[in-house]
């Protein structure tokens, strides 16, 4: 078991090996869609090659225009170009409407089988309508007429909210012609209108909630549909995958008419991307997220995209969204929320949590004081949060894991009541990321050895004491660093994190410079016992060493075990007699 103190260069993703990709504009376009969206591409190819059956593709993804436009672009890239015309030509007289063959592409009901996408539909927009004014009849085409012969891409949510739309659309596609529908959907039309021949492939894009509602609404269509996924991220494993992500980003830039960013823009975007995906090897493909970075950066320096414009836009966004978090930080600085960053205390430790403010787009890190005291009792673990119904199931599970670990290590029941509290916590506590800190504070209370308050701890543990990765790592580290920075860095402050979380690090420059100058430290551990020397200054177990924590605790437990069971009742009765 080894504790590792991290150096500053591993606290952010290293994009220097991809410098050649960002330093020159790629002259030859690569087939980046096949690398960036292989599942979606395969689904589109299956749909376009489908001859028999109901031509339906379900795409799991977000339901907005940015996503739909990419699905449309990829569909167009895989569309077999045909010179055939679809639809027809309506000829309207005073009391009769006739349908002729498709002749002129300029006719509103004649198409060449293209691509059409929309994020919203209703009955009139989807199926068209019949307008009558002063006895003049006018037929207005709907989306299905414009997409006739080609592929129609629709956001799924409007269809599951109004099932009648879906069942009309399904029937028209299955029967091969689209009928005209009256305004009330019930009565007949004032005049007979020949139905329009319809050839249509259908793509429905929806999130998992919409897709599940669609399955419930029409399980038959769900079961025969081709299913695929719009991938939200890409794993960067080599130059080819990074080049594909770069070209994907450039493709999005072209949609909003922005120039290609400067070379130094990309490393900054990658750092922010890693904070978004929470993994150094994974970069975001989400069009909404990428376009936001481009647009906000373009506002800073008159549409010039470089490292300075992106950094400035991120700083401004943080400032705009940071009001509530600043209030909490000020409360800590004023000691209204008590968090110690100096000295040593028995049975007290600085844990790290994340908090979400309702209506705020960010999660924030928040230092959390956890205390443990011992009282007379018999192997009772009093988790105050659970007793007050202020804990979730995962937190309760983590407490039970800690109990199991301690009993296995000590090989005996604990003759105390251990009372554990998340101090000044007034809302529900959940998750297992504080379980390492909880174990350490219990060991401190059992051994009567103080914990260094200059170090904060985060990490989950299993029954064997192995430390497991947790979420919100960057925000947690930065929250404790900001507190220490505001109180003045001592050069001995730092954070203990799980070893597996190193791949998730993308810290801000203030933390990196402090680590580089040895003003702040980040240690990684893989087992709970590795935290004790850092926090308490003693190892858990050393053979033939009486000063190790296990020996200290066992001696203390043995002293308690030899006390007669009637000692406390006798003392209590004597006290009562004195009152």
């Amino acid at each position: 078991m080894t504790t590792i103190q991290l150096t500053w260069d591993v606290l952010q993703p290293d994009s220097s090996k991809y410098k050649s990709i960002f330093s020159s504009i790629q002259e030859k376009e690569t087939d980046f869609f096949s690398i960036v969206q292989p599942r979606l591409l395969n689904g589109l190819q299956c749909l376009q090659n489908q001859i028999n059956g109901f031509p339906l593709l379900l795409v799991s993804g977000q339901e907005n225009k940015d996503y739909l436009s990419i699905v449309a672009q990829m569909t167009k890239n895989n569309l077999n170009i045909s010179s055939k015309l679809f639809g027809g030509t309506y000829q309207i007289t005073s009391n009769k409407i006739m349908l002729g063959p498709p002749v002129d592409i300029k006719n509103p009901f004649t198409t060449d089988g293209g691509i059409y996408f929309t994020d919203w539909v209703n009955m009139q927009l989807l199926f068209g309508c019949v307008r009558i004014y002063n006895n003049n009849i006018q037929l207005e085409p709907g989306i299905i007429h414009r997409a006739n012969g080609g592929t129609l891409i629709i956001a799924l949510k409007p269809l599951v909210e109004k099932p009648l739309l879906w069942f009309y659309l399904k029937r028209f596609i299955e029967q091969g012609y689209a009928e005209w529908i009256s305004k009330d959907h019930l009565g007949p039309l004032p005049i007979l209108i020949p139905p329009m021949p319809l050839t249509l492939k259908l793509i429905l894009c929806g999130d998992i909630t919409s897709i599940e509602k669609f399955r419930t609404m029409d399980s038959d269509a769900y079961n025969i549909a081709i299913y695929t996924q719009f991938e939200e991220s890409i794993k960067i494993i080599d130059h080819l995958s990074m080049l594909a992500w770069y070209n994907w980003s450039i493709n999005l830039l072209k949609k909003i008419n922005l120039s290609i960013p400067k070379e130094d823009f990309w490393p900054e975007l990658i750092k922010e991307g890693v904070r978004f995906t929470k993994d150094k090897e994974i970069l975001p493909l989400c069009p909404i997220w990428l376009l936001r970075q481009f647009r906000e950066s373009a506002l800073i320096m008159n549409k010039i995209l470089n490292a300075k414009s992106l950094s400035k836009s991120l700083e401004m966004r943080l400032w705009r969204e940071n009001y509530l978090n600043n209030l909490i930080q000020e409360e800590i600085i004023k000691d209204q929320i008590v968090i110690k960053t100096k000295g040593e205390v028995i049975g007290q430790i600085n844990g790290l949590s994340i908090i979400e403010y309702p209506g705020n787009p960010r999660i924030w890190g928040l230092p959390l004081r956890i205390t443990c005291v011992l009282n007379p009792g018999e192997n009772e673990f009093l988790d105050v949060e659970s007793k007050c119904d202020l804990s979730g199931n995962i937190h309760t599970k983590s407490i039970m894991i800690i109990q199991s670990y301690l009993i296995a290590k000590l090989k005996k029941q604990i003759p105390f009541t251990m009372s554990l509290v998340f101090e000044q916590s007034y809302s529900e506590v959940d998750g297992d990321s504080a379980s390492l800190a909880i174990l350490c504070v219990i060991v401190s209370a059992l051994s009567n050895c103080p914990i260094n308050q200059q170090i904060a701890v985060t990490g989950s543990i299993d029954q064997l004491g192995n430390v497991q990765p947790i979420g919100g790592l960057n925000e947690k580290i930065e929250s404790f660093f900001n507190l220490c920075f505001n109180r003045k860095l001592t050069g001995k402050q730092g954070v203990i994190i799980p070893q597996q979380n190193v791949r998730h690090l993308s810290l801000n420059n203030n933390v990196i410079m402090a680590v580089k100058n040895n003003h702040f430290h980040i240690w990684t551990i893989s087992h709970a016992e590795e935290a004790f020397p850092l926090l308490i200054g003693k190892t858990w177990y050393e053979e033939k060493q009486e000063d190790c924590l296990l020996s200290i605790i066992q001696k203390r437990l043995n002293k308690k075990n030899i006390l007669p069971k009637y000692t406390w009742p006798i003392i209590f009765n004597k006290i009562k007699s004195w009152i």
Side-chain angles (χ1 to χ4, degrees), residues 4-16 271 280 502 505-507 511-517 522:
I4 300 174
Q5 183 172 339
L6 298 182
T7 56
W8 67 272
D9 53 324
V10 299
L11 304 183
Q12 282 186 340
D14 180 16
S15 56
S16 59
K271 292 174 188 176
K280 288 180 182 177
V502 173
L505 289 171
S506 185
L507 295 164
V511 179
I512 291 173
M513 291 307 298
V515 171
K516 189 175 183 179
N517 296 325
I522 299 175

Side-chain angles (χ1 to χ4, degrees), residues 14 109 153 285-286 325 372 397 406 442 473 540 545 573:
D14 180 16
F109 291 95
I153 304 165
L285 298 173
C286 174
N325 188 58
C372 179
K397 177 184 175 183
L406 280 173
I442 291 173
L473 182 70
W540 172 251
Q545 183 176 331
N573 288 331

Side-chain angles (χ1 to χ4, degrees), residues 462-528:
D462 63 16
Q463 287 193 118
L464 304 177
N466 299 309
V467 177
Q468 303 165 140
I470 45 83
L473 182 70
N474 294 299
E475 291 80 5
K476 290 177 178 178
I477 294 174
E478 288 170 358
S479 69
F480 189 69
F481 169 81
N482 290 337
L483 176 58
C484 294
F485 180 83
N486 289 329
R487 289 179 172 176
K488 193 174 181 181
L489 296 173
T490 65
K492 296 180 180 180
Q493 297 149 331
V495 175
I496 297 174
I497 67 171
Q499 173 64 39
Q500 300 96 317
N501 273 127
V502 173
R503 65 183 296 171
H504 306 140
L505 289 171
S506 185
L507 295 164
N508 64 41
N509 290 329
N510 291 336
V511 179
I512 291 173
M513 291 307 298
V515 171
K516 189 175 183 179
N517 296 325
N518 284 321
H519 295 157
F520 192 79
H521 310 282
I522 299 175
W523 298 275
T524 65
I525 62 174
S526 56
H527 194 276

